[in-house]
Amino acid sequence: MTASTVPEPPALPLLGPAEIRALAGRLGIRPTKTLGQNFVIDPNTIRRIVAAARLGEAETVLEVGPGLGSLTLGLLDAAEQVVAVEIDPPLAAQLPHTVERYRPGRADRLTVLQEDALRVQELPLEPTALVANLPYNVAVPVLLHLLARFPSIRHGLVMVQEEVADRLAAAPGTKVYGVPSVKAAWYAEVTKAGTIGKNVFWPAPQIASGLVRFVRRAEPVADVDRALLFGAVDAAFAQRRKTLRASLAGWAGSAAAAGEILATAGVDPGERGEKLDVHAFARIARAGADAGVTAGVRGG
């Protein structure tokens, strides 16, 4: 038998609908909207997510909201270590047992933290990638918090509500471009990597999901204070119909001061925030800092 005809080893088992529901039944768990729980029940979707994440074998992956472990098993097949952050105590307690059952030789490569991902400040390992099915209700703040807190995360793939995926990857001047678009672009190059249908989840959400791929920038956008820039972004999009001179008045101290800062930054004071990319906002923040603006960040 030649090398070209050697069959590939069979794929390791992943959790399907029957396994997910049986496991949830044993634990007495029903998915809750409060925690944004929609469990993936389709093994092919897990394989698709893991493949799209483009993980290296030596990587340490941070997973948020592992739930019953569908994606966790797939990540353990592709990476060296997985750090799973789960807010729900019964799910956090069960996950190591699930991995021990389905991946007995890899259980020591899983670390589970029972924490709120929005508040986690330290991890036992340094993650190089983030791959997660993020809860819809906190997806953007969780993503921004983790990118800010853990600079070792170089790339990743997250599954979010499709509308949120479109916003995160939006370009300036498009209808869905806004605060999440600019803030995500501060950290990384962000692209949409596909759409996931509703029926691969239990319970099925009312809308489709989107995959968002990101690669952290090798160098910062600019040598400016991130909080100052994010404050300008929040102000610029607070009322989308306002000109930048008007919308940045509170951030700058007055409309006149905003106009001067915008002129210094080379930005038309009559322009609107949705037309500017992150580099333009960086120029505004730098000009604001030179003018003595000290406004902080609001909302993440």
Side-chain angles (χ1 to χ4, degrees):
M1 183 178 289
T2 66
S4 61
T5 60
V6 173
E8 294 185 3
L12 293 171
L14 295 168
L15 302 180
E19 292 84 2
I20 288 289
R21 290 189 170 91
L23 182 55
R26 287 198 301 272
L27 296 174
I29 287 174
R30 294 290 300 177
T32 68
K33 289 185 177 180
T34 304
L35 297 179
Q37 291 172 330
N38 296 93
F39 302 135
V40 180
I41 58 174
D42 177 48
N44 287 330
T45 297
I46 295 301
R47 296 186 183 100
R48 177 184 172 189
I49 293 169
V50 173
R54 300 174 181 174
L55 297 169
E57 293 180 358
E59 292 206 67
T60 296
V61 180
L62 174 59
E63 183 187 8
V64 173
L68 290 166
S70 303
L71 179 56
T72 311
L73 297 178
L75 294 175
L76 285 168
D77 293 341
E80 178 64 27
Q81 297 281 341
V82 174
V83 178
V85 177
E86 173 58 60
I87 192 173
D88 193 349
L91 293 177
Q94 173 61 36
L95 189 58
H97 301 292
T98 301
V99 170
E100 181 62 45
R101 176 181 177 186
Y102 287 93
R103 298 294 187 276
R106 304 179 187 184
D108 61 345
R109 290 159 48 181
L110 171 71
T111 303
V112 181
L113 297 180
Q114 191 221 306
E115 279 196 61
D116 183 345
L118 273 172
R119 294 179 171 82
V120 64
Q121 298 296 317
E122 295 182 2
L123 294 171
L125 299 171
E126 193 172 78
T128 58
L130 169 66
V131 184
N133 172 20
L134 293 178
Y136 284 171
N137 52 350
V138 292
V140 171
V142 165
L143 176 62
L144 295 177
H145 168 68
L146 295 175
L147 286 173
R149 185 64 189 170
F150 302 106
S152 63
I153 296 174
R154 308 311 306 170
H155 71 112
L157 186 87
V158 293
M159 182 159 57
V160 297
Q161 183 178 331
E162 186 166 34
E163 179 182 327
V164 174
D166 291 336
R167 288 176 181 171
L168 284 168
T174 56
K175 292 180 68 174
V176 295
Y177 183 73
V179 171
S181 320
V182 185
K183 291 184 177 181
W186 167 260
Y187 297 104
E189 297 286 346
V190 182
T191 55
K192 189 175 179 184
T195 298
I196 301 293
K198 298 178 285 187
N199 293 332
V200 303
F201 296 95
W202 174 64
Q206 295 183 342
I207 51 178
S209 299
L211 297 178
V212 176
R213 181 183 294 118
F214 66 88
V215 178
R216 190 186 288 269
R217 297 180 183 276
E219 299 290 337
V221 170
D223 185 19
V224 297
D225 179 63
R226 174 174 56 89
L228 188 63
L229 184 149
F230 279 14
V233 172
D234 288 331
F237 286 94
Q239 297 186 39
R240 294 177 71 96
R241 293 188 178 183
K242 280 191 174 184
T243 65
L244 284 166
R245 185 179 188 275
S247 61
L248 293 180
W251 174 82
S254 69
E260 293 177 5
I261 289 170
L262 290 163
T264 300
V267 176
D268 180 0
E271 191 58 274
R272 288 171 171 78
E274 53 264 35
K275 299 294 185 180
L276 304 188
D277 65 11
V278 67
H279 301 281
F281 277 107
R283 296 199 306 272
I284 293 170
R286 183 184 295 111
D290 292 342
V293 176
T294 59
V297 61
R298 295 177 298 170

